[in-house]
Amino acid sequence: MTSNCSFLAVDDLMKTLELVIYIPIFVFGLILNLIALLVFCLILRKWTESTIYMTSLALMDLLLLFPLPFKMHATTHLWRAHFQPLCSFLECLYFIGIYGSIYTIMCIAVDRWVAICHPFKAKQLRSPKAALGTCIGVWVLVIAVISANMQRFREAGQEEFHCFHRFSEKGWSPVVITCLMLFGFLVPALVLVFCSVKTIWALQQSGQHSQQSKACVKIIYSGLSAFLLPFTPSHLAILLQFLVRQGLIQDCGNQTRISLFIQVAMCLSNITCCLDALCYYFIAHEVRSTKHTIRLSIQRRATFSTSEV
C-alpha cells in the first residue's frame, strides 16, 4: 500500500458509522436470535432437520454478535500488547460466526434440495441425526481452520495495536485470500444458488400451491437474502483490498475509496444476524403448520373410526 496515502478521514468517518451500524445490529440481532432459540428449544420442541439447522445457525449468529462490543471499542482505542491473546480469541469467535453461518445456510439449501428434488433418496439421506451430524461437522471444520490460522495474522512485539484491524502481510498473502474467496464464499455461494434455483423450479413444475410449498419458497428466498446481501459486498471488498496490498491498485484516491468500502461492507455483513430471523420465522411457521396438519389427520381418523362402530 502506498506509504504517503492518508486514511485518517476514512478512520474518523468509520468511528461514527460503526456505532450507527453496529448498535442496532447488536440489539436486534441479540433479541431475534435469543427468541429463535427459545422458540425452537422450548416452545416447538420438535427436532426436525430444519429446526436443528436453525438452532445451529442461531448459535453461530450469537457467536458473531458477542465480539461486536469489543470490535466497537477497538475502533477508537488502541489495545496494549498483553491483550493480544484476548484479541485473537475474539477475532476467532467473530470469523467462526461468519463462516459458520455461511456454511450452515448452504447446508439448509442442500437439505431443501434433497427433500424436494430427490424425495426417494431423501428417505435415506435426511434425518434429524444426519442434520445434527452435519451441523457438528460444520462447527468442527470452521473452528479448526480459523483457530489454526488466526493467531498468525498479527505482528508480534507490538506495544499497542488495533484489534480487528490491520492484519499482517501473512493475513493478506495470495494463498490465504485465494482459499478465503474460493472456499469461504464462492463454493458455498454456487452451491446455495444451484440448490435454491433447482428447488424453486421443481416446486413450480409440480404445480403445487399448498401452504407448505409457499413456506418452502419463502425459506429459500430468505436464505438467499441472508447469504448474498451481506456477504457478496464484503468478499468483493476483501478482493479489492487484496489488490491494493499486492500493489496492483496504486492510485491514492482508489485506495481511500476501497478502504472505506471494505470497512462499511464488513460492518454491514453483520446484518445477516437479523436477516436470518426471516428463516427462523418461516421454519417455525412450517413446523407449526405440520403439527396442525398431523393433529387434524389424527382427529379425522378418530372420527371416521367412531362413525364405523
Side-chain angles (χ1 to χ4, degrees):
M1 193 179 292
T2 307
S3 58
N4 60 356
C5 193
S6 175
F7 300 94
L8 290 176
V10 173
D11 292 340
D12 289 339
L13 177 61
M14 288 308 302
K15 289 176 183 178
T16 304
L17 272 181
E18 282 203 359
L19 293 175
V20 171
I21 295 171
Y22 278 149
I23 291 175
I25 288 175
F26 179 77
V27 172
F28 287 108
L30 192 64
I31 293 170
L32 292 171
N33 283 282
L34 288 175
I35 290 173
L37 287 177
L38 177 68
V39 169
F40 290 131
C41 297
L42 298 179
I43 297 176
L44 293 180
R45 289 185 297 181
K46 184 180 180 182
W47 293 110
T48 65
E49 295 84 357
S50 297
T51 55
I52 289 170
Y53 283 122
M54 288 295 117
T55 302
S56 180
L57 184 59
L59 291 172
M60 289 289 187
D61 285 342
L62 289 173
L63 203 64
L64 191 158
L65 287 166
F66 175 75
L68 285 190
F70 299 95
K71 199 169 187 292
M72 285 187 277
H73 179 273
T75 303
T76 53
H77 297 83
L78 286 168
W79 288 20
R80 302 291 295 176
H82 60 273
F83 285 116
Q84 201 156 57
L86 173 63
C87 175
S88 295
F89 174 71
L90 292 170
E91 287 172 342
C92 277
L93 292 184
Y94 182 73
F95 288 108
I96 288 167
I98 286 180
Y99 290 100
S101 296
I102 285 175
Y103 270 86
T104 303
I105 294 170
M106 182 197 75
C107 290
I108 292 167
V110 173
D111 180 71
R112 292 269 150 182
W113 172 66
V114 171
I116 302 298
C117 299
H118 303 280
F120 296 109
K121 290 182 180 179
K123 293 178 180 179
Q124 298 175 335
L125 298 176
R126 294 180 78 242
S127 69
K129 285 185 179 180
L132 181 61
T134 302
C135 290
I136 292 171
V138 168
W139 278 88
V140 171
L141 174 67
V142 176
I143 290 172
V145 171
I146 291 177
S147 60
N149 292 281
M150 204 70 222
Q151 292 184 351
R152 298 188 300 169
F153 297 160
R154 291 222 158 266
E155 296 287 354
Q158 292 179 311
E159 289 188 7
E160 293 183 322
F161 66 100
H162 273 292
C163 191
F164 292 97
H165 298 277
R166 298 170 190 171
F167 291 114
S168 67
E169 291 303 317
K170 289 181 180 178
W172 290 98
S173 68
V175 174
V176 170
I177 299 302
T178 300
C179 291
L180 179 71
M181 297 302 297
L182 187 61
F183 299 109
F185 178 71
L186 285 176
V187 170
L190 290 173
V191 172
L192 172 70
V193 172
F194 171 82
C195 292
S196 300
V197 170
K198 284 286 187 180
T199 306
I200 292 171
W201 182 82
L203 288 170
Q204 290 175 343
Q205 289 295 111
S206 67
Q208 294 180 6
H209 300 288
S210 63
Q211 287 295 113
Q212 198 167 1
S213 296
K214 291 177 182 177
C216 185
V217 172
K218 288 176 181 177
I219 292 165
I220 293 167
Y221 280 128
S222 60
L224 283 169
S225 300
F227 187 107
L228 296 177
L229 290 179
F231 299 127
T232 303
S234 61
H235 285 84
L236 175 60
I238 290 171
L239 178 61
L240 291 173
Q241 185 69 1
F242 170 70
L243 297 178
V244 171
R245 290 275 184 156
Q246 295 299 305
L248 298 175
I249 298 176
Q250 298 184 352
D251 179 71
C252 186
N254 288 333
Q255 287 187 10
T256 304
R257 284 186 284 272
I258 290 170
S259 178
L260 178 61
F261 177 44
I262 189 171
Q263 293 187 67
V264 173
M266 291 301 293
C267 287
L268 291 175
S269 67
N270 298 288
I271 204 171
T272 185
C273 299
C274 301
L275 292 176
D276 287 339
L278 292 172
C279 294
Y280 304 149
Y281 172 77
F282 293 127
I283 288 288
H285 181 71
E286 182 186 52
V287 172
R288 289 179 70 89
S289 298
T290 304
K291 276 185 172 181
H292 182 65
T293 303
I294 292 170
R295 198 180 298 119
L296 282 176
S297 65
I298 291 171
Q299 288 174 352
R300 284 171 185 168
R301 286 174 188 170
T303 304
F304 181 73
S305 301
T306 307
S307 65
E308 283 187 330
V309 175

